[in-house]
Every structure is written in structure tokens, then in C-alpha cells.
Amino acid sequence: GLNMKVLLHLILLVSCITQWTDAASPSATARRFKTKIDEGQSHWNDIGREELKAALDVQLNTNVAKNVILFLGDGMSIATITAARIYKGQKEGKGGEEGKLAFEDFPHAGLSKTYCVDTQVADSASTATAFLTGVKTNYHSVGVDKNVLNKDCSTFNEESKVHSVVQWAQDAGKKTGVVTSTRITHATPSAAYAHTPEREWECDSHIKRDIGDDYLTECSEVKDIARQLIEDEPGASINVLMGGGLQAFQLPSHQVRWDDDWNCERLDGKDLIDEFITKKTEAGKTKAVVTNMTDLMNVDDSTEYLLGLFWNTHLPYEHVKEEEELDIPTLAEMTEKAITMLQKGDNGFFLLVEGGRIDHAHHDGTAKRALDEAVAMDKAVEAALKLTNEEDTLIVVTADHAHAMSFNGYPDRGSEIVGLGTMADDDLPLTTLMYNTGPGFNYTTNADGEVVRWNLTDTTVTDFEHLQQGEVYMEWSNHGGEDVAIYAKGPMSYLFHSLHEQNYIAHAMAYAACIGADTDVGSHCPEKEVLKNGGFQPETGSSPWTIAGSLVGALFGVIIIAGVLSMIIKKY
């Protein structure tokens, strides 16, 4: 009857305005997430006026940053940010293009030049050294200057070491923390505390692998990265450490799991977990060592030192944690715990949070995973925003380098970002996201000798494991050399405003917090006394000697004034 016809028309209408495309599109299985907003003239004029008003309302925050949080999206290129923004929106059933990641609402932004001293396209060790120590260095180097050559221990010495913002923060009496989804000894986190001519020397067996049987003699001055974290400063004084990489800290006989793909093992007979516990106990410090989410949540926030190692190598991808219900914290959960613990200090803190598996997913050519990891880091940023105050906390979000993923093909608005986009000139569909290099290279020749590419029509391109097509075969997709974005909010965040050398990030963060060696550049910071390694400590003026000096000075002032008055009275 009539009611049935009306119902059918409504069903047809809804199907036209929601998520699914028609048969005229590149593929009848391509999902669409159309916006339901009327995007006429008034819509865009309203958006323009709102953005203009927001820009005019921005006030420069010149406060001293008591706390600094650096979020580092490893391999988070601008293309990755754009695609992740859309992916996030589409997970919420929206078109995606009109949305924002949490950090894209920050009031200040700039660009970072990521090249290192000896290569145009850098790796994560050299870039981390730049943005954490303020000094650019060579490819694969950690915490040393350009004079140290790769895997050459003879060029390594004390003068070549460069110290990080973690050291400067500790010198100023601040608490410090490092959180990562990679191994805690991996490239980015290691630059916060280690010094080595090779980023892969995370355990001593890898030094032997590269140097040979004489490694103990030839590299006697170079400890593996795991040892440096537990035994040397500033690693030994980092209050909160969370990530993966348990395998580098324990003897093989103590391992619950073993990762054959990462065959890093201890040859020196040391159990660095036991060493960590012993050192903190002897120093009378409260400490906790945890290997799962359940135990992490039971750690008291007042605990002075936390070591959380939740997997033998890198932590599983976020979607794997969820799908397999693993007892492993998300990046956001680790960030929340780190902040609540570090906030127990009176002098503030510095915290590094790395979304490290964005990079690994890109290397594997699995774009959906990379976007999912980027959104996971965005959730960690949201957590930090809820727990901190922009009046005293500087939050910086950036990347170490770009990646070879491209965003292309003229897809329709609302096209599923991880799905098929348009038809190519070879009459085969292509995905919106592709890689210039990588394992997704899949070309062959037909019977006529013509080069043809992979036909994606019957392929489930939206799986996490799907390999995006690559132009040139590489076992791993390469890094990209283009500039990456910097977003900032909080005290002195306006210092990130233009195109910057990547090492500038360390200088700007330190200046904002009045630590490090640049506090005399402007009038932002109160007077300081110089400490070791370029750090500075505010003068409290509360010591007995300071008070006595002030009283003596005041007494002399009174005597001088009395003398002058006496002379004036006698004269007149």
C-alpha cells in the first residue's frame, strides 16, 4: 500500500546520503562517508570568519613552562597527518575531511627541516639527537656530534657527547619521563639518555655482531644502550620509563618470551632489571617494575621510579592489543600514568612520548596501520590536554622525518581514505594511499609483453595487513626527506612559528622552561646559576648565606644614607 511505498522511498533516500557509493564509482565496493552539511557560500564564509576571530583572539603566552611534553610521531609526515585526520573522522561515521586531530587545534605551528649532517633523508636516531640535544649529527648516530663516525669506536670520546633536554631538566630539579610504543632502547628514546656511534647497539651482542670478537677491546668506552639507561646518567635518574624491549635487559634464561626476529641478547651476564631494583633500593627510593597493564594500574602515583617493559621487542600495534585483548597499555594509558606520576614533583617535569609504530607500519607498506597508530598518538595528546594546564605546560607535537606514502588520485569527497579511490588510465582501480617505495611493488607482464600492475578489484584493501602498491621495490618503504610539521600550545609556544632547523626544537623547549644554555637570549627567564652540562637552576635566595648577604647590603645602604644626611645637615 501507500505506507510501503513511502517506506521504500525513505530507504532509497537514506542509502543515497549516507555511506555507500553507487555503481558508477571506481568500484562498487568503495565506501563513502558523505558530509550532511550544506556547504554553500554561507557555510564557508562562516568558517572563514570563525577562524579569523580565533586567530585575532590568540594571546602570546610568555609564562615560564613548568612542564614540557614532547609528542613525537615517528614517520608522521604531513600526508600521514592529513590521512589520519580523515581516518579518525570516518571511524566516527563522518566525512573526515572537515575534522581535526586534537593537536591541529593548537594555536601555533611551524615546519622542521629534517636532514642530518651526512644525508639528505635522515633516520630516527640522527633526528632524535637533533630535536632532543639541539645538535644535528650523522645518520644512525645517537647523542654524539658529527665527529663520531658510524660503528667507529675510535672516534668516540667524552668531547663528542651531546646532552639532551632530559639532562637539562634533571639539572634544574625537574622529574623526567620517556614513554614509547617501540623498544625503550630504540632510536628516538635512546637519544634522550644514550651516546653511541650506532643506534642498533641496544644490547652487547649487537656490538659484537658489528665489531667482531674483539668488541670488548675495540669498543671498551662504549656501553650498549640498555646498560647506559640503567647504569649512567641521565638514564638512571629518569623517573618514568615505559615501552618495549625487555629482551635487551634480561639474560636469555630469564626470558618468558623470546623474539627470534630481534635476536638482541645479553652476553655480559648482567640482568639489568635486577640492577635497576638493587640501585633504587640501595638509594632508598621507591620503585616499581611492571610488565603488564594490570600491574601498571596498581602502581602508586607517588612511586619515585617506574620501569615498565611490556613486550620483548616493540609493543604490538594498537589494533592488535584491542583485537587480542592483550594486557598491555595503550599509548594514551601510558601517557596518563606518566603525567600523574611526574606531577608529584614540585619543580615540574619533562616528558617524551613517542608514537613509534607509525613509522613501522609505513615501512611495511601498511597504510591503515600507520593511520591507526597516528590516531592512537592523538588520543595520547588528548589525555595530556585533560591532565595539564596550558598556563604552565608547553606541549609540542612533531615528527622526526616524513615517509614515502602519497595521497593522490582525485577521490570523491568522503571516499574511504584506506579504500579505493579512482580508476587509473590502465582501467584498473587504485588506492588513495600509495608508496613510492616498498614491499607493495607488484608488477608483471601479460601475454603481449606489456607491463601490468596488480588488479585490486577483488582485493580487500581495507584490511590492516593490506600492502599498498609501491612504485619501486624495497624490502621496507623508505623515509621521506620533506619537511615535517610542528604544533605547539602553552608557554612560549609562539616560538614555533616558521621554518626551523630541527635542532631548534630542543633550544626552544629549553628556553620556554628556563633550562639549558639559552636562557640568557632574552628576558623571559629569571636569573640562574649555571650547573653541569649546560643546565641552569633558579636562584632561590632562601639560603642563610643569601639572607645574610642581603642584610649586610641593607645595613651598608643605611649607613651611607645616614652619612649623606649628616653632611647635608652640617652644611645648612
Side-chain angles (χ1 to χ4, degrees):
L2 180 62
N3 290 340
M4 183 58 69
K5 289 182 179 180
V6 171
L7 179 61
L8 288 173
H9 278 90
L10 286 173
I11 292 172
L12 288 171
L13 178 61
V14 170
S15 67
C16 289
I17 64 173
T18 52
Q19 296 184 358
W20 301 93
T21 185
D22 55 37
S25 296
S27 169
T29 60
R31 293 187 74 185
R32 293 281 296 283
F33 296 82
K34 291 185 178 180
T35 180
K36 299 178 179 63
I37 300 171
D38 181 3
E39 295 182 331
Q41 292 184 30
S42 61
H43 169 75
W44 298 113
N45 286 328
D46 289 344
I47 285 180
R49 292 188 187 97
E50 288 171 6
E51 287 196 23
L52 179 59
K53 184 178 184 302
L56 292 170
D57 288 343
V58 171
Q59 301 293 317
L60 298 186
N61 184 339
T62 59
N63 297 340
V64 174
K66 178 181 179 181
N67 313 308
V68 178
I69 305 175
L70 173 61
F71 284 93
L72 192 284
D74 200 318
M76 192 174 69
S77 62
I78 292 177
T80 303
I81 292 173
T82 305
R85 175 199 313 149
I86 297 172
Y87 177 75
K88 176 183 178 181
Q90 291 181 347
K91 286 185 71 176
E92 298 169 354
K94 303 172 184 176
E97 298 92 347
E98 73 284 355
K100 286 184 180 181
L101 298 169
F103 56 83
E104 291 183 296
D105 260 334
F106 285 10
H108 301 286
L111 293 172
S112 170
K113 298 159 68 176
T114 64
Y115 69 92
C116 61
V117 170
D118 57 345
T119 63
Q120 286 183 333
V121 180
D123 79 307
S124 295
S126 57
T127 52
T129 299
F131 61 72
L132 287 174
T133 74
V135 177
K136 287 202 173 191
T137 190
N138 299 323
Y139 185 82
H140 264 231
S141 293
V142 174
V144 293
D145 65 21
K146 72 178 185 66
N147 295 311
V148 177
L149 305 180
N150 184 239
K151 300 180 183 179
D152 186 348
C153 294
S154 68
T155 62
F156 179 88
N157 53 56
E158 284 297 317
E159 290 71 29
S160 66
K161 292 180 179 180
V162 289
H163 300 282
S164 80
V165 64
V166 167
Q167 178 74 70
W168 308 337
Q170 290 178 2
D171 286 347
K174 294 183 182 293
K175 287 183 174 288
T176 52
V178 177
V179 169
T180 179
S181 55
T182 70
R183 298 188 292 265
I184 199 70
T185 51
H186 204 237
T188 298
S190 69
Y193 58 83
H195 312 276
T196 179
E198 172 51 57
R199 58 176 279 182
E200 293 185 0
W201 290 356
E202 298 176 57
C203 60
D204 54 350
S205 68
H206 280 189
I207 303 179
K208 181 179 180 181
R209 177 198 66 190
D210 292 339
I211 300 301
D213 291 337
D214 295 331
Y215 74 101
L216 291 175
T217 302
E218 291 188 27
C219 292
S220 59
E221 300 302 313
V222 181
K223 291 183 181 180
D224 63 80
I225 295 170
R227 274 190 70 193
Q228 291 187 55
L229 177 58
I230 301 301
E231 297 179 354
D232 299 343
E233 298 297 344
S237 292
I238 296 176
N239 302 93
V240 176
L241 293 161
M242 284 188 275
L246 177 63
Q247 193 165 300
F249 293 83
Q250 288 187 314
L251 298 174
S253 59
H254 293 183
Q255 295 288 322
V256 177
R257 298 180 297 268
W258 184 260
D259 192 298
D260 293 326
D261 293 332
W262 187 58
N263 57 352
C264 207
E265 62 178 300
R266 301 225 60 82
L267 302 178
D268 54 13
K270 291 178 176 288
D271 188 309
L272 296 177
I273 305 297
D274 288 346
E275 192 171 319
F276 171 86
I277 295 171
T278 300
K279 287 181 67 173
K280 302 311 178 195
T281 301
E282 291 176 348
K285 303 295 183 181
T286 56
K287 74 285 180 187
V289 176
V290 295
T291 58
N292 57 64
M293 173 65 172
T294 301
D295 291 343
L296 176 64
M297 291 300 99
N298 289 328
V299 174
D300 190 283
D301 290 340
S302 64
T303 302
E304 294 171 280
Y305 292 94
L306 168 65
L307 178 59
L309 298 174
F310 305 105
W311 208 251
N312 268 13
T313 180
H314 305 303
L315 300 189
Y317 288 111
E318 295 288 342
H319 76 91
V320 174
K321 295 176 189 176
E322 181 179 354
E323 292 165 0
E324 299 184 9
E325 299 181 345
L326 299 176
D327 193 17
I328 298 175
T330 65
L331 191 64
E333 290 166 339
M334 290 189 287
T335 300
E336 289 176 2
K337 188 64 174 180
I339 292 174
T340 55
M341 293 183 68
L342 295 173
Q343 284 175 331
K344 298 300 181 182
D346 295 331
N347 297 323
F349 63 85
F350 173 82
L351 173 63
L352 168 65
V353 179
E354 183 199 19
R357 304 229 63 192
I358 302 169
D359 174 73
H360 298 163
H362 275 320
H363 276 307
D364 288 340
T366 52
K368 182 175 181 178
R369 265 196 186 130
L371 304 189
D372 199 63
E373 291 294 308
V375 171
M377 194 186 83
D378 188 58
K379 291 178 180 177
V381 174
E382 289 179 343
L385 290 171
K386 292 176 182 177
L387 291 170
T388 58
N389 187 330
E390 68 176 310
E391 291 303 308
D392 67 1
T393 302
L394 171 65
I395 299 180
V396 179
V397 179
T398 189
D400 48 357
H401 54 74
H403 245 284
M405 187 190 79
S406 62
F407 183 161
N408 64 129
Y410 303 111
D412 292 335
R413 273 288 299 278
S415 294
E416 187 171 18
I417 190 64
V418 294
L420 298 175
T422 56
M423 298 293 289
D425 291 343
D426 59 4
D427 294 326
L428 295 175
L430 56 87
T431 54
T432 302
L433 305 178
M434 302 175 67
Y435 287 90
N436 298 328
T437 60
F441 175 89
N442 196 339
Y443 289 77
T444 186
T445 55
N446 61 18
D448 299 325
E450 298 172 325
V451 176
V452 294
R453 65 184 180 89
W454 185 9
N455 187 343
L456 298 171
T457 303
D458 298 321
T459 303
T460 306
V461 298
T462 56
D463 286 348
F464 280 111
E465 294 78 15
H466 174 70
L467 281 181
Q468 310 297 126
Q469 289 186 321
E471 181 181 358
V472 176
Y473 176 76
M474 298 287 290
E475 185 177 358
W476 266 27
S477 176
N478 296 139
H479 291 172
E482 66 267 29
D483 302 336
V484 297
I486 313 169
Y487 302 87
K489 181 176 185 177
M492 307 302 287
S493 56
Y494 62 87
L495 294 176
F496 300 100
H497 65 101
S498 182
L499 175 62
H500 304 289
E501 291 286 357
Q502 191 167 48
N503 63 299
Y504 170 80
I505 295 172
H507 291 268
M509 291 190 301
Y511 181 77
C514 293
I515 60 177
D518 295 322
T519 53
D520 59 346
V521 173
S523 59
H524 165 67
C525 300
E527 291 184 5
K528 306 264 187 286
E529 57 176 290
V530 180
L531 296 178
K532 62 182 179 179
N533 297 320
F536 285 76
Q537 175 69 38
E539 291 182 346
T540 63
S542 59
S543 71
W545 293 111
T546 302
I547 295 171
S550 299
L551 290 173
V552 170
L555 180 59
F556 272 115
V558 170
I559 292 172
I560 292 170
I561 292 171
V564 172
L565 288 173
S566 176
M567 291 173 63
I568 293 173
I569 291 170
K570 287 179 180 179
K571 184 175 181 180
Y572 293 100

